[in-house]
mmCIF file of all heavy atoms in Angstrom:
data_model
loop_
_atom_site.group_PDB
_atom_site.id
_atom_site.type_symbol
_atom_site.label_atom_id
_atom_site.label_comp_id
_atom_site.label_asym_id
_atom_site.label_seq_id
_atom_site.Cartn_x
_atom_site.Cartn_y
_atom_site.Cartn_z
ATOM 1 N N THR A 28 -6.323 6.266 -7.410
ATOM 2 C CA THR A 28 -6.270 5.122 -8.322
ATOM 3 C C THR A 28 -5.677 3.881 -7.668
ATOM 4 O O THR A 28 -5.696 2.798 -8.255
ATOM 5 C CB THR A 28 -5.417 5.445 -9.573
ATOM 6 O OG1 THR A 28 -4.027 5.547 -9.199
ATOM 7 C CG2 THR A 28 -5.861 6.763 -10.219
ATOM 8 N N ALA A 29 -5.151 4.025 -6.455
ATOM 9 C CA ALA A 29 -4.395 2.910 -5.833
ATOM 10 C C ALA A 29 -5.309 1.758 -5.465
ATOM 11 O O ALA A 29 -6.463 1.931 -5.036
ATOM 12 C CB ALA A 29 -3.667 3.417 -4.592
ATOM 13 N N SER A 30 -4.786 0.557 -5.633
ATOM 14 C CA SER A 30 -5.514 -0.666 -5.304
ATOM 15 C C SER A 30 -4.537 -1.602 -4.600
ATOM 16 O O SER A 30 -3.479 -1.937 -5.134
ATOM 17 C CB SER A 30 -6.036 -1.330 -6.586
ATOM 18 O OG SER A 30 -6.639 -2.585 -6.306
ATOM 19 N N PHE A 31 -4.894 -2.023 -3.378
ATOM 20 C CA PHE A 31 -4.001 -2.823 -2.522
ATOM 21 C C PHE A 31 -4.523 -4.262 -2.428
ATOM 22 O O PHE A 31 -5.708 -4.523 -2.541
ATOM 23 C CB PHE A 31 -3.924 -2.213 -1.141
ATOM 24 C CG PHE A 31 -3.363 -0.825 -1.106
ATOM 25 C CD1 PHE A 31 -4.147 0.289 -1.317
ATOM 26 C CD2 PHE A 31 -1.998 -0.639 -0.845
ATOM 27 C CE1 PHE A 31 -3.627 1.570 -1.285
ATOM 28 C CE2 PHE A 31 -1.464 0.642 -0.818
ATOM 29 C CZ PHE A 31 -2.278 1.752 -1.031
ATOM 30 N N GLY A 32 -3.603 -5.173 -2.142
ATOM 31 C CA GLY A 32 -3.998 -6.554 -1.894
ATOM 32 C C GLY A 32 -2.815 -7.480 -1.752
ATOM 33 O O GLY A 32 -1.712 -7.179 -2.202
ATOM 34 N N LEU A 33 -3.065 -8.589 -1.068
ATOM 35 C CA LEU A 33 -2.056 -9.641 -0.902
ATOM 36 C C LEU A 33 -2.681 -10.964 -1.377
ATOM 37 O O LEU A 33 -3.339 -11.662 -0.592
ATOM 38 C CB LEU A 33 -1.613 -9.731 0.574
ATOM 39 C CG LEU A 33 -0.825 -8.526 1.106
ATOM 40 C CD1 LEU A 33 -0.687 -8.616 2.625
ATOM 41 C CD2 LEU A 33 0.568 -8.452 0.464
ATOM 42 N N PRO A 34 -2.464 -11.340 -2.636
ATOM 43 C CA PRO A 34 -3.157 -12.493 -3.210
ATOM 44 C C PRO A 34 -2.402 -13.825 -3.049
ATOM 45 O O PRO A 34 -2.822 -14.822 -3.647
ATOM 46 C CB PRO A 34 -3.239 -12.127 -4.700
ATOM 47 C CG PRO A 34 -1.982 -11.357 -4.943
ATOM 48 C CD PRO A 34 -1.751 -10.571 -3.671
ATOM 49 N N GLU A 35 -1.354 -13.844 -2.250
ATOM 50 C CA GLU A 35 -0.461 -15.018 -2.227
ATOM 51 C C GLU A 35 -1.139 -16.312 -1.835
ATOM 52 O O GLU A 35 -0.827 -17.375 -2.404
ATOM 53 C CB GLU A 35 0.741 -14.749 -1.285
ATOM 54 C CG GLU A 35 1.776 -13.795 -1.813
ATOM 55 C CD GLU A 35 1.437 -12.336 -1.542
ATOM 56 O OE1 GLU A 35 0.299 -12.031 -1.138
ATOM 57 O OE2 GLU A 35 2.351 -11.497 -1.700
ATOM 58 N N VAL A 36 -2.055 -16.304 -0.870
ATOM 59 C CA VAL A 36 -2.689 -17.532 -0.432
ATOM 60 C C VAL A 36 -3.394 -18.230 -1.588
ATOM 61 O O VAL A 36 -3.363 -19.470 -1.709
ATOM 62 C CB VAL A 36 -3.655 -17.267 0.745
ATOM 63 C CG1 VAL A 36 -4.548 -18.479 1.000
ATOM 64 C CG2 VAL A 36 -2.871 -16.935 2.000
ATOM 65 N N GLY A 37 -4.006 -17.469 -2.490
ATOM 66 C CA GLY A 37 -4.650 -18.077 -3.644
ATOM 67 C C GLY A 37 -3.693 -18.750 -4.597
ATOM 68 O O GLY A 37 -4.108 -19.583 -5.406
ATOM 69 N N LEU A 38 -2.402 -18.416 -4.486
ATOM 70 C CA LEU A 38 -1.369 -19.069 -5.288
ATOM 71 C C LEU A 38 -0.724 -20.236 -4.542
ATOM 72 O O LEU A 38 0.212 -20.832 -5.037
ATOM 73 C CB LEU A 38 -0.295 -18.058 -5.670
ATOM 74 C CG LEU A 38 -0.752 -16.855 -6.506
ATOM 75 C CD1 LEU A 38 0.384 -15.856 -6.682
ATOM 76 C CD2 LEU A 38 -1.285 -17.302 -7.856
ATOM 77 N N GLY A 39 -1.245 -20.500 -3.355
ATOM 78 C CA GLY A 39 -0.695 -21.616 -2.560
ATOM 79 C C GLY A 39 0.513 -21.258 -1.722
ATOM 80 O O GLY A 39 1.205 -22.158 -1.239
ATOM 81 N N ILE A 40 0.777 -19.965 -1.559
ATOM 82 C CA ILE A 40 1.900 -19.504 -0.746
ATOM 83 C C ILE A 40 1.360 -18.479 0.268
ATOM 84 O O ILE A 40 0.173 -18.449 0.547
ATOM 85 C CB ILE A 40 3.034 -18.914 -1.607
ATOM 86 C CG1 ILE A 40 2.491 -17.870 -2.583
ATOM 87 C CG2 ILE A 40 3.726 -20.046 -2.393
ATOM 88 C CD1 ILE A 40 3.544 -17.217 -3.444
ATOM 89 N N LEU A 41 2.231 -17.637 0.797
ATOM 90 C CA LEU A 41 1.815 -16.588 1.717
ATOM 91 C C LEU A 41 2.775 -15.432 1.591
ATOM 92 O O LEU A 41 3.896 -15.602 1.083
ATOM 93 C CB LEU A 41 1.748 -17.088 3.169
ATOM 94 C CG LEU A 41 3.046 -17.209 3.965
ATOM 95 C CD1 LEU A 41 2.753 -17.390 5.440
ATOM 96 C CD2 LEU A 41 3.945 -18.333 3.470
ATOM 97 N N PRO A 42 2.374 -14.237 2.037
ATOM 98 C CA PRO A 42 3.325 -13.115 2.004
ATOM 99 C C PRO A 42 4.520 -13.431 2.883
ATOM 100 O O PRO A 42 4.363 -13.743 4.046
ATOM 101 C CB PRO A 42 2.504 -11.956 2.575
ATOM 102 C CG PRO A 42 1.069 -12.361 2.424
ATOM 103 C CD PRO A 42 1.070 -13.843 2.580
ATOM 104 N N SER A 43 5.715 -13.332 2.314
ATOM 105 C CA SER A 43 6.876 -13.818 3.049
ATOM 106 C C SER A 43 8.068 -12.860 3.006
ATOM 107 O O SER A 43 9.180 -13.230 3.380
ATOM 108 C CB SER A 43 7.313 -15.175 2.491
ATOM 109 O OG SER A 43 7.638 -15.070 1.108
ATOM 110 N N SER A 44 7.846 -11.613 2.540
ATOM 111 C CA SER A 44 8.912 -10.628 2.523
ATOM 112 C C SER A 44 8.662 -9.571 3.596
ATOM 113 O O SER A 44 8.945 -8.395 3.413
ATOM 114 C CB SER A 44 9.020 -9.989 1.163
ATOM 115 O OG SER A 44 9.441 -10.940 0.193
ATOM 116 N N GLY A 45 8.129 -10.025 4.712
ATOM 117 C CA GLY A 45 7.859 -9.119 5.832
ATOM 118 C C GLY A 45 6.465 -8.545 5.807
ATOM 119 O O GLY A 45 6.066 -7.898 6.779
ATOM 120 N N GLY A 46 5.734 -8.768 4.728
ATOM 121 C CA GLY A 46 4.394 -8.166 4.619
ATOM 122 C C GLY A 46 3.416 -8.683 5.642
ATOM 123 O O GLY A 46 2.627 -7.930 6.212
ATOM 124 N N LEU A 47 3.420 -10.012 5.896
ATOM 125 C CA LEU A 47 2.514 -10.556 6.889
ATOM 126 C C LEU A 47 2.814 -9.965 8.238
ATOM 127 O O LEU A 47 1.904 -9.501 8.954
ATOM 128 C CB LEU A 47 2.663 -12.103 6.916
ATOM 129 C CG LEU A 47 1.734 -12.886 7.821
ATOM 130 C CD1 LEU A 47 1.461 -14.274 7.241
ATOM 131 C CD2 LEU A 47 2.303 -13.026 9.228
ATOM 132 N N THR A 48 4.073 -9.964 8.653
ATOM 133 C CA THR A 48 4.450 -9.439 9.972
ATOM 134 C C THR A 48 4.097 -7.972 10.094
ATOM 135 O O THR A 48 3.538 -7.521 11.108
ATOM 136 C CB THR A 48 5.947 -9.658 10.191
ATOM 137 O OG1 THR A 48 6.235 -11.046 10.148
ATOM 138 C CG2 THR A 48 6.400 -9.102 11.541
ATOM 139 N N ARG A 49 4.450 -7.184 9.083
ATOM 140 C CA ARG A 49 4.202 -5.730 9.153
ATOM 141 C C ARG A 49 2.717 -5.403 9.114
ATOM 142 O O ARG A 49 2.268 -4.480 9.774
ATOM 143 C CB ARG A 49 4.964 -5.023 8.032
ATOM 144 C CG ARG A 49 6.469 -5.093 8.205
ATOM 145 C CD ARG A 49 7.217 -4.188 7.243
ATOM 146 N NE ARG A 49 8.644 -4.361 7.475
ATOM 147 C CZ ARG A 49 9.439 -5.223 6.812
ATOM 148 N NH1 ARG A 49 8.957 -5.964 5.858
ATOM 149 N NH2 ARG A 49 10.714 -5.348 7.135
ATOM 150 N N LEU A 50 1.950 -6.171 8.362
ATOM 151 C CA LEU A 50 0.511 -5.926 8.306
ATOM 152 C C LEU A 50 -0.130 -6.259 9.645
ATOM 153 O O LEU A 50 -0.997 -5.502 10.119
ATOM 154 C CB LEU A 50 -0.128 -6.768 7.202
ATOM 155 C CG LEU A 50 -1.639 -6.559 6.989
ATOM 156 C CD1 LEU A 50 -1.903 -5.066 6.596
ATOM 157 C CD2 LEU A 50 -2.167 -7.471 5.887
ATOM 158 N N VAL A 51 0.274 -7.332 10.291
ATOM 159 C CA VAL A 51 -0.237 -7.649 11.623
ATOM 160 C C VAL A 51 0.050 -6.525 12.600
ATOM 161 O O VAL A 51 -0.805 -6.106 13.376
ATOM 162 C CB VAL A 51 0.342 -8.979 12.137
ATOM 163 C CG1 VAL A 51 0.026 -9.179 13.601
ATOM 164 C CG2 VAL A 51 -0.183 -10.163 11.321
ATOM 165 N N ARG A 52 1.274 -5.985 12.535
ATOM 166 C CA ARG A 52 1.623 -4.926 13.481
ATOM 167 C C ARG A 52 0.963 -3.615 13.150
ATOM 168 O O ARG A 52 0.681 -2.796 14.037
ATOM 169 C CB ARG A 52 3.153 -4.755 13.504
ATOM 170 C CG ARG A 52 3.831 -5.983 14.156
ATOM 171 C CD ARG A 52 5.322 -5.878 14.171
ATOM 172 N NE ARG A 52 5.894 -7.033 14.860
ATOM 173 C CZ ARG A 52 7.201 -7.290 14.952
ATOM 174 N NH1 ARG A 52 8.063 -6.477 14.360
ATOM 175 N NH2 ARG A 52 7.616 -8.347 15.583
ATOM 176 N N ALA A 53 0.709 -3.372 11.859
ATOM 177 C CA ALA A 53 0.079 -2.115 11.458
ATOM 178 C C ALA A 53 -1.433 -2.116 11.660
ATOM 179 O O ALA A 53 -2.011 -1.089 12.039
ATOM 180 C CB ALA A 53 0.394 -1.806 9.979
ATOM 181 N N ALA A 54 -2.064 -3.253 11.393
ATOM 182 C CA ALA A 54 -3.547 -3.285 11.389
ATOM 183 C C ALA A 54 -4.140 -4.236 12.384
ATOM 184 O O ALA A 54 -5.350 -4.227 12.598
ATOM 185 C CB ALA A 54 -4.038 -3.619 9.982
ATOM 186 N N GLY A 55 -3.307 -5.076 13.009
ATOM 187 C CA GLY A 55 -3.809 -6.078 13.960
ATOM 188 C C GLY A 55 -4.078 -7.409 13.283
ATOM 189 O O GLY A 55 -4.290 -7.472 12.059
ATOM 190 N N PRO A 56 -4.090 -8.487 14.052
ATOM 191 C CA PRO A 56 -4.226 -9.828 13.455
ATOM 192 C C PRO A 56 -5.585 -10.061 12.783
ATOM 193 O O PRO A 56 -5.660 -10.755 11.789
ATOM 194 C CB PRO A 56 -4.023 -10.795 14.641
ATOM 195 C CG PRO A 56 -4.231 -9.953 15.861
ATOM 196 C CD PRO A 56 -3.817 -8.566 15.497
ATOM 197 N N ALA A 57 -6.652 -9.475 13.309
ATOM 198 C CA ALA A 57 -7.981 -9.719 12.704
ATOM 199 C C ALA A 57 -8.051 -9.145 11.313
ATOM 200 O O ALA A 57 -8.500 -9.813 10.366
ATOM 201 C CB ALA A 57 -9.073 -9.135 13.593
ATOM 202 N N ILE A 58 -7.635 -7.904 11.145
ATOM 203 C CA ILE A 58 -7.619 -7.280 9.814
ATOM 204 C C ILE A 58 -6.660 -8.015 8.888
ATOM 205 O O ILE A 58 -6.952 -8.237 7.699
ATOM 206 C CB ILE A 58 -7.280 -5.802 9.915
ATOM 207 C CG1 ILE A 58 -8.332 -5.036 10.719
ATOM 208 C CG2 ILE A 58 -7.127 -5.171 8.523
ATOM 209 C CD1 ILE A 58 -9.729 -5.104 10.144
ATOM 210 N N ALA A 59 -5.480 -8.372 9.421
ATOM 211 C CA ALA A 59 -4.494 -9.078 8.582
ATOM 212 C C ALA A 59 -5.064 -10.404 8.096
ATOM 213 O O ALA A 59 -4.851 -10.761 6.919
ATOM 214 C CB ALA A 59 -3.218 -9.321 9.396
ATOM 215 N N ARG A 60 -5.795 -11.131 8.900
ATOM 216 C CA ARG A 60 -6.435 -12.382 8.462
ATOM 217 C C ARG A 60 -7.377 -12.132 7.307
ATOM 218 O O ARG A 60 -7.375 -12.865 6.314
ATOM 219 C CB ARG A 60 -7.180 -13.034 9.615
ATOM 220 C CG ARG A 60 -6.338 -13.739 10.643
ATOM 221 C CD ARG A 60 -7.162 -14.575 11.603
ATOM 222 N NE ARG A 60 -6.351 -15.134 12.625
ATOM 223 C CZ ARG A 60 -6.183 -14.607 13.851
ATOM 224 N NH1 ARG A 60 -6.792 -13.478 14.146
ATOM 225 N NH2 ARG A 60 -5.418 -15.189 14.751
ATOM 226 N N GLU A 61 -8.184 -11.108 7.416
ATOM 227 C CA GLU A 61 -9.152 -10.827 6.359
ATOM 228 C C GLU A 61 -8.467 -10.487 5.036
ATOM 229 O O GLU A 61 -8.818 -10.990 3.963
ATOM 230 C CB GLU A 61 -10.062 -9.672 6.771
ATOM 231 C CG GLU A 61 -11.061 -10.026 7.874
ATOM 232 C CD GLU A 61 -12.056 -8.925 8.086
ATOM 233 O OE1 GLU A 61 -12.321 -8.145 7.143
ATOM 234 O OE2 GLU A 61 -12.585 -8.831 9.215
ATOM 235 N N ILE A 62 -7.456 -9.601 5.117
ATOM 236 C CA ILE A 62 -6.762 -9.161 3.915
ATOM 237 C C ILE A 62 -6.036 -10.299 3.262
ATOM 238 O O ILE A 62 -6.062 -10.513 2.020
ATOM 239 C CB ILE A 62 -5.795 -8.017 4.249
ATOM 240 C CG1 ILE A 62 -6.613 -6.731 4.611
ATOM 241 C CG2 ILE A 62 -4.847 -7.721 3.089
ATOM 242 C CD1 ILE A 62 -5.758 -5.573 5.094
ATOM 243 N N ILE A 63 -5.324 -11.101 4.072
ATOM 244 C CA ILE A 63 -4.449 -12.145 3.519
ATOM 245 C C ILE A 63 -5.232 -13.383 3.109
ATOM 246 O O ILE A 63 -5.012 -13.950 2.011
ATOM 247 C CB ILE A 63 -3.347 -12.512 4.530
ATOM 248 C CG1 ILE A 63 -2.410 -11.311 4.743
ATOM 249 C CG2 ILE A 63 -2.520 -13.701 4.027
ATOM 250 C CD1 ILE A 63 -1.420 -11.491 5.880
ATOM 251 N N LEU A 64 -6.183 -13.807 3.913
ATOM 252 C CA LEU A 64 -6.900 -15.084 3.607
ATOM 253 C C LEU A 64 -7.886 -14.901 2.457
ATOM 254 O O LEU A 64 -8.027 -15.800 1.598
ATOM 255 C CB LEU A 64 -7.626 -15.589 4.849
ATOM 256 C CG LEU A 64 -6.713 -16.072 5.983
ATOM 257 C CD1 LEU A 64 -7.556 -16.556 7.160
ATOM 258 C CD2 LEU A 64 -5.776 -17.198 5.518
ATOM 259 N N PHE A 65 -8.557 -13.777 2.378
ATOM 260 C CA PHE A 65 -9.470 -13.542 1.264
ATOM 261 C C PHE A 65 -8.712 -13.097 0.034
ATOM 262 O O PHE A 65 -9.169 -13.376 -1.094
ATOM 263 C CB PHE A 65 -10.537 -12.509 1.649
ATOM 264 C CG PHE A 65 -11.622 -13.064 2.511
ATOM 265 C CD1 PHE A 65 -11.620 -12.821 3.874
ATOM 266 C CD2 PHE A 65 -12.656 -13.818 1.982
ATOM 267 C CE1 PHE A 65 -12.617 -13.339 4.713
ATOM 268 C CE2 PHE A 65 -13.644 -14.337 2.781
ATOM 269 C CZ PHE A 65 -13.652 -14.110 4.148
#
């Protein structure tokens, strides 16, 4: 049932509690760009 996402950019901000950094390190910058920007 789990559903993941980082919708902050659509609110005019960005993930800022370590999520951006950890996602880049876990999945790489290309995947992080797709998840965060979209």
Side-chain angles (χ1 to χ4, degrees):
T28 70
S30 175
F31 297 86
L33 292 169
E35 286 87 346
V36 167
L38 299 174
I40 51 177
L41 79 166
S43 59
S44 294
L47 184 150
T48 300
R49 293 189 181 94
L50 184 59
V51 169
R52 291 179 177 173
I58 297 299
R60 284 191 185 96
E61 289 188 26
I62 290 174
I63 295 172
L64 293 179
F65 283 101

